[in-house]
Amino acid sequence: MSAKSVIAIAHPNIALIKYWGNLDDEWTIPANGSISMTLGGVFTQVCMTAAENLEHDQLTMDGQVASEAAQTRLRQFMDHVRHLSGKTFFCRVESTSNFPRGSGIASSAAAFAALALAAAKLYDLPTHPIELSRLARLGSGSACRSIYGGFVEWLAGRDHQSSYAIPIASPEHWDLVDCVAVVSTEHKAVSSREGHRLAKTSPLQRCRVQSADQRLEQCRQAILQRDFEQLADVVEWDSNLMHSVMMTSQPPLFYWRGETLVIMEEIRQWRNRGTPVCYTIDAGPNVHILTLSNYAEQVKEKLSQVAGVREVIMAKAGEGAYLLEP
Ligand code: DP6
């Protein structure tokens, strides 16, 4: 064993082109590629300690023993790590985040990106970013994007080898800011894991998947050319398409609340009046509003005045996953 204890940090990400539904649920091979921005300032830190005397892995989250569901998810991930490394020992994992759960920022992406890096180090697995990205994907699909900073694309692929993320542009490339308008902190009734399984029950999923390449290309170009209008157009379109699939799945998934729709309408109006803003919404009611850094304070101020907005969390493009040297 090369080290007894490893600390890794990773940031969450917001999808600009969404991942929703898998070709293969067991290996998390997505139905379509996706693009995201890694979020700075917000992070999850994991401390992973090898424990020869444990009979299974143990997880604490923010100082509390984690739920059975979270423990099971960690153990399934660590079973992949043990299988890949040929090493059989278990570990103790302490995970802490500096952002509230239920805020609309998915914690699993940051957590599994950090876990992949820590586990690769502790179990002597390859630490090339592509290898880490593949490994993180086995814990949480969107985690494969959080290995990198800035703007990132997950190449869907067709199997474990070919499904991983690559960087598109560094965090400094474009001064976009994600303003998360929090309207609810309630635990969501249907997890994204369950949602991915339901996606294929919507007749709209096939259309969404078939047309994804066109949106990926538009989003990639918008990022590379720093073209906010192009970005706004494709980001809102893609988010609306994913929610159309969710709402037409069987059973249907309605993640929006009244406040969500009110914010979407406000954002469209602000943009029509010349402010560079657009919205995107994940599997929950909170709204991510993208803008340029010069406008971020003004957008935050205006969002705080919208009825039902409890808090606005701001994040610029952040760094990829990294190790904290002891
Ligand atoms: C709507 O990657 O969180 O945020 O594999 O269950 O962890 P799990 O799913 P997850 O799904 C993310 C769904 C999304 C869109 C996205 O981030 O691309």
Side-chain angles (χ1 to χ4, degrees), residues 152-226:
V152 182
E153 178 164 0
W154 176 4
L155 309 174
R158 354 181 65 232
D159 53 21
H160 179 57
Q161 273 302 107
S162 56
S163 189
Y164 55 83
I166 53 167
I168 298 179
S170 71
E172 298 76 33
H173 169 75
W174 200 8
D175 58 346
L176 281 187
V177 178
D178 181 16
C179 307
V180 192
V182 181
V183 298
S184 165
T185 52
E186 268 170 40
H187 189 71
K188 58 187 166 204
V190 181
S191 68
S192 34
R193 180 153 286 201
E194 185 53 29
H196 289 300
R197 289 181 196 275
L198 289 178
K200 56 177 90 65
T201 66
S202 165
L204 305 186
Q205 171 73 344
R206 190 201 290 226
C207 300
R208 193 190 70 85
V209 169
Q210 276 176 355
S211 55
D213 281 347
Q214 187 193 337
R215 291 188 300 284
L216 286 163
E217 175 62 13
Q218 186 177 335
C219 185
R220 223 180 278 127
Q221 291 309 323
I223 292 168
L224 291 174
Q225 294 160 16
R226 302 186 193 90

Side-chain angles (χ1 to χ4, degrees), residues 79-94:
D79 285 345
H80 279 296
V81 170
R82 280 183 283 270
H83 176 75
L84 289 168
S85 66
K87 295 187 163 62
T88 53
F89 64 90
F90 295 96
C91 63
R92 205 170 277 124
V93 174
E94 296 157 71

Side-chain angles (χ1 to χ4, degrees), residues 15 17-20 28 34 73 108 139-142 145 192-193 196 242 246 282-283:
I17 300 295
K18 307 293 188 188
Y19 148 51
W20 196 248
T28 320
S34 53
R73 199 164 171 184
S108 62
S140 165
S142 54
R145 301 184 306 234
S192 34
R193 180 153 286 201
H196 289 300
M242 180 182 73
M246 291 164 161
D282 279 346

Side-chain angles (χ1 to χ4, degrees), residues 28-281:
T28 320
I29 311 302
N32 61 280
S34 53
I35 292 180
S36 59
M37 178 172 99
T38 303
L39 302 178
V42 277
F43 65 85
T44 297
Q45 172 175 316
V46 303
C47 176
M48 186 180 281
T49 306
E52 308 271 5
N53 54 349
L54 280 186
E55 283 174 16
H56 46 69
D57 309 300
Q58 285 180 358
L59 174 66
T60 61
M61 291 166 82
D62 297 322
Q64 311 271 326
V65 175
S67 66
E68 263 321 299
Q71 302 277 1
T72 304
R73 199 164 171 184
L74 172 75
R75 286 170 194 164
Q76 285 171 347
F77 175 74
M78 293 308 299
D79 285 345
H80 279 296
V81 170
R82 280 183 283 270
H83 176 75
L84 289 168
S85 66
K87 295 187 163 62
T88 53
F89 64 90
F90 295 96
C91 63
R92 205 170 277 124
V93 174
E94 296 157 71
S95 164
T96 45
S97 296
N98 74 341
F99 56 97
R101 245 171 272 161
S103 61
I105 300 176
S107 50
S108 62
F112 280 102
L115 281 167
L117 178 54
K121 201 76 190 152
L122 203 61
Y123 286 76
D124 284 328
L125 286 169
T127 52
H128 185 280
I130 288 180
E131 304 272 6
L132 293 176
S133 181
R134 281 193 196 105
L135 182 58
R137 197 196 75 237
L138 298 175
S140 165
S142 54
C144 77
R145 301 184 306 234
S146 274
I147 294 297
Y148 307 91
F151 301 85
V152 182
E153 178 164 0
W154 176 4
L155 309 174
R158 354 181 65 232
D159 53 21
H160 179 57
Q161 273 302 107
S162 56
S163 189
Y164 55 83
I166 53 167
I168 298 179
S170 71
E172 298 76 33
H173 169 75
W174 200 8
D175 58 346
L176 281 187
V177 178
D178 181 16
C179 307
V180 192
V182 181
V183 298
S184 165
T185 52
E186 268 170 40
H187 189 71
K188 58 187 166 204
V190 181
S191 68
S192 34
R193 180 153 286 201
E194 185 53 29
H196 289 300
R197 289 181 196 275
L198 289 178
K200 56 177 90 65
T201 66
S202 165
L204 305 186
Q205 171 73 344
R206 190 201 290 226
C207 300
R208 193 190 70 85
V209 169
Q210 276 176 355
S211 55
D213 281 347
Q214 187 193 337
R215 291 188 300 284
L216 286 163
E217 175 62 13
Q218 186 177 335
C219 185
R220 223 180 278 127
Q221 291 309 323
I223 292 168
L224 291 174
Q225 294 160 16
R226 302 186 193 90
D227 182 338
F228 194 89
E229 252 176 67
Q230 282 290 323
L231 186 83
D233 189 53
V234 73
V235 162
E236 289 191 358
W237 183 23
D238 191 79
S239 173
N240 293 343
L241 275 165
M242 180 182 73
H243 283 272
S244 305
V245 168
M246 291 164 161
M247 290 178 203
T248 50
S249 295
Q250 287 177 307
L253 297 175
F254 292 97
Y255 285 111
W256 296 349
R257 293 166 59 130
E259 295 90 334
T260 313
L261 273 163
V262 170
I263 298 170
M264 291 161 73
E265 181 54 26
E266 287 283 336
I267 296 304
R268 277 192 293 264
Q269 285 183 18
W270 298 353
R271 189 161 72 253
N272 285 341
R273 290 194 218 114
T275 309
V277 276
C278 67
Y279 65 77
T280 184
I281 304 157

